[in-house]
Amino acid sequence: MKVILNGFLLMIFSSINAQNVTFNGCHPLFDNQDYAFTLENTDSSGRNIYKTSPVDGNQPCGGLGTCEFRIIWSAGNARWEFVADSGNGDFVNPYIIYYNMAASTPNPPNLTLGTWVENGADTGSNCGGNLNSGNAILTGGVQSTILGITDFAINNGIVLYPNPTSNLLSVATNSSIENLSVWNILGQEILSSDHTTDLDVSGLKSGAYIIRVRTPDGLKVANFIKK
């Protein structure tokens, strides 16, 4: 049973925390090559931030003169943004190349979820229009569904709130709760409490976790993010 559970945990975490994104597109401005993004951080909303390693100078880049990119959720604009640095690597005043209004969590949308709209104000409309499977590649740590962490829990008969959370995690389900337990990516139980709907997770490190909810109807599993 433990082997099966560990495999299940790792499967969920691998889908949630994919570490790499590959992009190839906007060839009039950027070289026709694959740009590799790695997971840089997670923002306060629980969404992942991806960034390329600076390659400007190693790989010539026309158009905007940069090959340093980020994919980040803009809370102010309520959208995902694909941005290019102005050339010095600090991303203080980046160019917004594309944006996507699909509020996916925790990873950015792929080419089929919502629309990655070309931001002509910054690109001069030189990218050839919105991203699609015919003019771009966007694979890896991206997702094709709007379902986020909380939605995943609801679909399994559980509601977790707030999610992400800093301190207290509350659990609601349609049957009584016999036990709540929190597991890490290694399949290790790190918190457990009987006959409660709330867990104090303030002592956990920031990151993603699995919660197991044992009820008279059986075991339910969901995931949450500790900020």
Side-chain angles (χ1 to χ4, degrees):
M1 179 64 181
K2 185 175 181 180
V3 172
I4 295 174
L5 174 62
N6 287 349
F8 180 62
L9 294 174
L10 291 174
M11 178 182 68
I12 292 176
F13 272 91
S14 65
S15 65
I16 295 171
N17 288 326
Q19 299 292 308
N20 300 296
V21 170
T22 297
F23 169 76
N24 189 320
C26 188
H27 298 152
L29 292 184
F30 308 120
D31 288 355
N32 184 1
Q33 66 177 28
D34 290 345
Y35 293 95
F37 293 71
T38 57
L39 182 62
E40 177 187 14
N41 207 339
T42 301
D43 68 14
S44 60
S45 74
R47 292 177 171 89
N48 290 334
I49 300 170
Y50 290 91
K51 180 181 178 181
T52 56
S53 298
V55 293
D56 198 24
N58 296 323
Q59 296 288 344
C61 215
L64 299 178
T66 179
C67 291
E68 300 171 32
F69 307 124
R70 284 176 109 192
I71 302 176
I72 190 168
W73 175 258
S74 169
N77 294 321
R79 67 189 185 186
W80 285 96
E81 294 180 348
F82 183 111
V83 302
D85 180 59
S86 57
N88 58 9
D90 61 11
F91 288 92
V92 172
N93 294 300
Y95 299 101
I96 300 174
I97 310 302
Y98 300 100
Y99 61 86
N100 193 318
M101 304 296 289
S104 57
T105 305
N107 292 333
N110 67 3
L111 294 178
T112 64
L113 177 59
T115 302
W116 282 101
V117 178
E118 179 183 357
N119 180 37
D122 281 357
T123 67
S125 299
N126 288 317
C127 276
N130 302 340
L131 292 181
N132 59 66
S133 59
N135 64 17
I137 295 171
L138 187 63
T139 59
V142 291
Q143 57 194 69
S144 60
T145 174
I146 200 68
L147 290 180
I149 292 173
T150 303
D151 299 306
F152 178 88
I154 291 172
N155 281 358
N156 283 273
I158 309 169
V159 176
L160 305 179
Y161 60 95
N163 190 8
T165 183
S166 298
N167 299 300
L168 192 68
L169 179 70
S170 297
V171 182
T173 183
N174 53 10
S175 56
S176 61
I177 295 175
E178 297 176 345
N179 174 267
L180 297 177
S181 59
V182 175
W183 298 68
N184 64 19
I185 191 172
L186 301 177
Q188 299 168 327
E189 182 179 327
I190 53 179
L191 279 178
S192 181
S193 184
D194 294 331
H195 306 293
T196 182
T197 59
D198 302 304
L199 282 177
D200 181 1
V201 297
S202 59
L204 299 182
K205 295 180 180 179
S206 298
Y209 294 88
I210 294 293
I211 186 166
R212 297 174 63 197
V213 183
R214 191 171 71 237
T215 74
D217 300 326
L219 185 67
K220 304 175 186 295
V221 180
N223 48 290
F224 71 95
I225 283 181
K226 165 62 169 59
K227 292 193 290 187

